[in-house]
């Protein structure tokens, strides 16, 4: 890459992620004492971009001013990401039978407390918290396909 040229590490329909974006994300997390590998930063940058794009498409961000399509801060993308994940978790179909099964399987956690609507919602939140990583991975794979994502492979020098 020539001086001043931004190295693209991932691209898809309507977006690209540069090495500069990865470094900005890395600085953002390191100022919060969260450290990981460059590969993980790249993966999260892609997830952040795709999930925030979906959040905008679904109009989940009520505070966004119409027409403000400028480059977003990492904070803004992270807020959209959380809104989108929240929607995924909320919309996930979890039957009453699953909640009841969890309740019956863990009597020590509930100490004779009856299974009511409030406890049922707490159980649902616990189950969904455990399912979150799996749901995010599954959704990321669907969005990779939807947006025709290609990532730069330094070994081959090509987008794949």
């Amino acid at each position: 890459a020539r001086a001043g040229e931004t190295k693209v590490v991932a691209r898809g329909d309507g977006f690209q992620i540069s090495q500069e974006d990865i470094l900005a994300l890395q600085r953002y997390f390191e100022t919060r004492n969260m450290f990981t590998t460059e590969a993980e930063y790249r993966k999260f940058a892609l997830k952040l971009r795709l999930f925030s794009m979906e959040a905008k498409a679904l109009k989940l961000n009520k505070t966004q001013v119409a027409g403000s399509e400028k480059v977003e801060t990492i904070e803004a993308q992270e807020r959209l990401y959380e809104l989108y994940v929240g929607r995924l978790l909320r919309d996930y179909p979890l039957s009453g039978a699953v909640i009841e099964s969890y309740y019956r399987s863990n009597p020590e956690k509930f100490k004779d407390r009856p299974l009511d609507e409030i406890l049922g919602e707490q159980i649902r939140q616990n189950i969904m918290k455990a399912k979150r990583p799996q749901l995010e991975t599954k959704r990321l794979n669907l969005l990779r396909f939807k947006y025709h994502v290609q990532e730069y492979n330094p070994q081959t020098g090509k987008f794949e």
Side-chain angles (χ1 to χ4, degrees):
R2 288 188 287 284
E5 203 175 281
T6 308
K7 185 178 172 208
V8 174
V9 296
R11 64 186 183 197
D13 297 346
F15 79 95
Q16 63 182 25
I17 297 171
S18 70
Q19 188 62 39
E20 236 171 63
D21 296 326
I22 304 301
L23 292 173
L25 189 67
Q26 184 174 349
R27 283 191 301 273
Y28 175 78
F29 280 111
E30 287 176 356
T31 61
R32 288 154 181 78
N33 290 319
M34 295 160 56
F35 301 90
T36 188
T37 64
E38 181 168 345
E40 286 298 311
Y41 285 124
R42 282 180 180 221
K43 183 179 174 186
F44 190 69
L46 182 61
K47 187 191 297 188
L48 195 62
R49 182 70 52 90
L50 293 175
F51 282 29
S52 65
M53 286 169 63
E54 285 293 289
K56 284 198 294 188
L58 293 168
K59 297 178 178 21
L60 297 181
N61 189 6
K62 307 293 186 225
T63 61
Q64 185 175 359
V65 181
S68 63
E69 285 298 312
K70 64 184 187 320
V71 176
E72 287 162 338
T73 62
I74 293 171
E75 291 88 348
Q77 281 188 50
E78 194 172 29
R79 196 170 46 255
L80 287 165
Y81 165 83
E82 289 299 332
L83 286 169
Y84 185 68
V85 171
R87 173 81 168 266
L88 283 178
L89 297 176
R90 211 173 29 261
D91 290 353
Y92 187 82
L94 197 64
S95 73
V98 171
I99 291 168
E100 190 172 334
S101 172
Y102 183 92
Y103 174 77
R104 291 184 190 286
S105 301
N106 298 284
E108 71 288 349
K109 288 184 179 181
F110 306 113
K111 314 249 191 283
D112 299 329
R113 190 171 158 198
L115 179 56
D116 58 12
E117 207 173 303
I118 293 166
L119 183 56
E121 184 53 34
Q122 288 172 349
I123 291 171
R124 178 185 168 70
Q125 287 175 7
N126 283 343
I127 293 170
M128 295 315 298
K129 187 176 174 184
K131 281 184 157 302
R132 179 178 172 154
Q134 174 190 352
L135 286 174
E136 283 190 36
T137 298
K138 196 172 179 182
R139 184 53 54 119
L140 178 60
N141 290 334
L142 288 170
L143 295 178
R144 282 172 176 271
F145 182 73
K146 176 181 178 179
Y147 287 98
H148 306 102
V149 173
Q150 295 179 312
E151 293 180 78
Y152 182 75
N153 181 336
Q155 274 79 43
T156 64
K158 295 179 181 167
F159 281 92
E160 302 171 348

